[in-house]
Amino acid sequence: FQVLMQHCRSDSAQVMRQVLKALITVSSRAESQEPLLQAPHLDTVKAVVQSHRPDCVRDALQVLFNVCAKEQHRDKVYQEAFVAELIPLLDEAKLPDIFSERQTVTYGSQPHLRDLDLVEDEQLLAGAAAPKPGDKTAKDATHLTTAIALLVAKTLGALASLDPVKLQIVNSSALPALLLLFKSEQLEPKWQAVRIMALCCGLEALHEKLAGANLVHQAMVIADYDNAEIKRQAAKIFALLGDNAALHPHFTAKEVLVRIKALAGSKVRDIQISCATALKGLTRTPKIRDSLISLKTAPIVLGFLDAEHQSLKVNGLIALGNMAPGLFVH
């Protein structure tokens, strides 16, 4: 590591690239990640992330993401003030490049969604790319921008399990950039952004800021995306924000409630559980309760009572109890 790190600051881009490739390989093995967590080594990786060589920045981010994959390493990475370096790399001005290509760029050995059961998007993940006009240099630059934004999102997604990182993300330029990634044509940047927002919703102190950034509307739009994992994250956002009575004015639009009803009818248990939590909270507000009743949500909630899962059954029962006064009227 000592020798590699010395060469990591080389003036030769070629030497740096070779060193970073070696570090990517080493950092992908859990047993060899510990030495990388030493402050001088992390400082060296940070220096490369701050450099103006996009290909080296991309490789350094891959090393960082590999290290963050292990939960017990994340606090150390956070303490080294990496989040403040990552956020500017989610440059809102450059993000539209991501929307112009169908190809998903995954670099290194860990395409993050491979473990998920997303058969319908396998072709997209494999990088089935439509040909794009333009010269090779422009394409390479776009690929690098895409790869860097994606790796930043993946690394922030790992670090967002820590509450101080949630605060940093929501109170910085990362928030509008991540909401912009919701509109990506590519699956993985979209999924990472929605997942980070769902994690941030876990901190109640951030609810007002997230709702003010129009997150409920964004989650409504993305809930239509034909992918179970993205629907799961959208349902979590509805559950965490919908259970907060102070945010109910953001849920009065019928198109939002239509999406929650549609998700509640899902066959995926996690999505049902999130929707039951959302409905338990939302039905406490009479105006929303009456809208949900008129949308014929009650039969779906009734179906939750037959579930074996305890919280699904209990939250379904509470939601039905909240709906009862309105049900007699209707």
Side-chain angles (χ1 to χ4, degrees):
F1 271 103
Q2 215 64 46
V3 175
L4 281 173
M5 288 302 177
Q6 282 168 9
H7 288 298
C8 213
R9 294 176 183 266
S10 168
D11 291 333
S12 162
Q14 195 175 357
V15 170
M16 272 180 82
R17 277 199 298 270
Q18 294 305 319
V19 170
L20 287 163
K21 277 181 184 169
L23 287 174
I24 287 170
T25 305
V26 171
S27 63
S28 65
R29 294 175 187 149
E31 66 276 8
S32 54
Q33 289 174 353
E34 293 297 330
L36 263 173
L37 291 169
Q38 292 172 23
H41 297 339
L42 279 177
D43 282 347
T44 303
V45 175
K46 191 194 290 184
V48 180
V49 169
Q50 291 167 329
S51 76
H52 298 292
R53 294 171 172 170
D55 52 346
C56 294
V57 171
R58 173 201 60 196
D59 292 354
L61 286 169
Q62 182 67 51
V63 172
L64 188 62
F65 173 69
N66 288 352
V67 171
C68 289
K70 216 171 185 183
E71 200 170 340
Q72 57 265 43
H73 294 166
R74 291 171 194 169
D75 198 49
K76 176 71 175 167
V77 172
Y78 167 70
Q79 285 168 14
E80 291 300 319
F82 260 103
V83 178
E85 303 301 333
L86 293 173
I87 286 169
L89 292 172
L90 272 181
D91 186 343
E92 232 182 310
K94 289 179 183 173
L95 286 181
D97 288 341
I98 295 175
F99 313 135
S100 63
E101 291 201 5
R102 294 295 297 173
Q103 185 167 12
T104 296
V105 178
T106 45
Y107 190 83
S109 58
Q110 298 182 7
H112 198 65
L113 292 182
R114 283 280 177 231
D115 300 335
L116 299 170
D117 184 21
L118 302 173
V119 179
E120 70 271 27
D121 291 292
E122 193 63 33
Q123 191 182 3
L124 179 61
L125 277 173
K132 182 173 179 279
D135 60 65
K136 186 179 183 300
T137 312
K139 277 187 179 178
D140 288 349
T142 302
H143 277 305
L144 275 171
T145 305
T146 305
I148 287 169
L150 179 54
L151 281 163
V152 170
K154 285 166 75 169
T155 308
L156 285 176
L159 293 170
S161 58
L162 305 172
D163 284 353
V165 176
K166 293 182 180 80
L167 283 161
Q168 258 185 296
I169 289 169
V170 173
N171 293 314
S172 72
S173 60
L175 179 59
L178 288 165
L179 290 173
L180 192 60
L181 280 179
F182 273 44
K183 300 186 179 96
S184 171
E185 289 181 358
Q186 297 179 35
L187 171 65
E188 195 165 3
K190 187 190 290 281
W191 179 77
Q192 290 292 347
V194 182
R195 182 175 161 272
I196 291 169
M197 287 297 99
L199 283 167
C200 290
C201 287
L203 203 57
E204 196 173 342
L206 297 174
H207 281 187
E208 204 66 53
K209 182 83 182 271
L210 290 165
N214 218 10
L215 182 57
V216 174
H217 176 80
Q218 299 280 11
M220 173 199 86
V221 173
I222 210 160
D224 289 337
Y225 193 74
D226 187 18
N227 178 278
E229 189 56 35
I230 282 177
K231 286 182 188 295
R232 187 179 274 122
Q233 300 304 324
K236 279 183 189 171
I237 292 170
F238 288 141
L240 291 161
L241 298 184
D243 207 28
N244 184 338
L247 305 182
H248 286 186
H250 296 276
F251 285 88
T252 52
K254 271 212 167 151
E255 56 264 34
V256 174
L257 301 177
V258 164
R259 264 46 166 230
I260 294 173
K261 179 197 169 185
L263 287 171
S266 166
K267 297 280 189 287
V268 179
R269 180 51 52 90
D270 287 357
I271 295 176
Q272 289 179 331
I273 291 166
S274 292
C275 288
T277 305
L279 291 167
K280 175 195 76 173
L282 291 170
T283 48
R284 294 199 299 262
T285 297
K287 185 183 175 185
I288 296 176
R289 175 199 71 195
D290 291 343
S291 291
L292 286 165
I293 291 169
S294 67
L295 289 169
K296 298 188 169 35
T297 312
I300 294 171
V301 177
L302 201 57
F304 292 162
L305 306 190
D306 295 328
E308 291 175 19
H309 194 281
Q310 193 65 22
S311 75
L312 183 55
K313 188 179 285 196
V314 169
N315 286 340
L317 198 57
I318 293 169
L320 206 59
N322 291 341
M323 291 167 108
L327 283 171
F328 286 121
V329 175
H330 284 75

